[in-house]
Amino acid sequence: VSKDSEVSLQAYYDGYHRDIPDVFLEERDTGDVQAQHRFHWGWLDSTITYGAGYPWSKDDTGGPPRALIFDPASRTLETSNAFVQGQRRLFDNGELTVGTKLEHNESAGYEWQPGIRLGWALGEHVFTWGAVSRAVRTMSPADLSIIA
């Protein structure tokens, strides 16, 4: 790592238990680990950022005799992803960002999520941008229970 390079690692965990007698039970553990590296690429006078992540969620929603049940009553959802993007200054007040993310989850398999963003400064404290992207929504346990 140098003055033109930055590495980051983030980890997150949350767990909870919710019980409404005779109606609903949910125990959930959620975690996420993300790593990324950003560096200046002098040849293109650009900033390159790449990284990977692994978010997951495990739940147990009980079953009968509760009024609200999910099938299956216990499930683990895992997603893995990797991304790369390049950012380059344009003129004195513009910026172009091009990148893509590859994500894998059990409901959709592999999904590409490319994007391009053009931004420009309209003044000292005003920056605006426009983008064209392909986003993918990861299905929740409720979505998967409805489909099943």
Side-chain angles (χ1 to χ4, degrees):
V1 179
S2 69
K3 68 179 178 91
D4 291 333
S5 177
E6 179 181 296
V7 174
S8 68
L9 177 66
Q10 286 185 172
Y12 165 84
Y13 171 79
D14 180 48
Y16 67 85
H17 173 91
R18 178 174 29 182
D19 189 359
I20 305 170
D22 299 323
V23 178
F24 181 68
L25 169 69
E26 180 180 28
E27 294 181 19
R28 180 174 301 278
D29 294 300
T30 302
D32 189 5
V33 177
Q34 303 284 332
Q36 76 175 35
H37 179 218
R38 183 177 68 191
F39 63 95
H40 181 76
W41 193 4
W43 181 68
L44 288 175
D45 193 25
S46 299
T47 300
I48 306 297
T49 307
Y50 66 92
Y54 178 73
W56 59 271
S57 181
K58 180 183 184 311
D59 68 10
D60 185 358
T61 56
R66 307 281 177 160
L68 182 58
I69 60 174
F70 290 88
D71 184 25
S74 181
R75 177 179 315 215
T76 300
L77 299 177
E78 300 170 306
T79 304
S80 54
N81 62 65
F83 75 93
V84 63
Q85 76 174 28
Q87 187 173 29
R88 189 171 199 293
R89 302 240 350 123
L90 300 175
F91 314 110
D92 290 333
N93 60 347
E95 186 174 278
L96 175 67
T97 304
V98 177
T100 192
K101 181 178 186 180
L102 175 64
E103 186 171 276
H104 181 267
N105 63 68
E106 72 178 62
S107 61
Y110 287 97
E111 295 278 359
W112 285 101
Q113 300 176 60
I116 184 168
R117 181 174 59 218
L118 181 61
W120 56 97
L122 301 176
E124 187 176 340
H125 300 289
V126 180
F127 188 86
T128 189
W129 55 271
V132 176
S133 306
R134 178 179 187 267
V136 175
R137 179 178 171 269
T138 302
M139 297 180 97
S140 71
D143 295 329
L144 293 169
S145 292
I146 291 168
I147 290 172

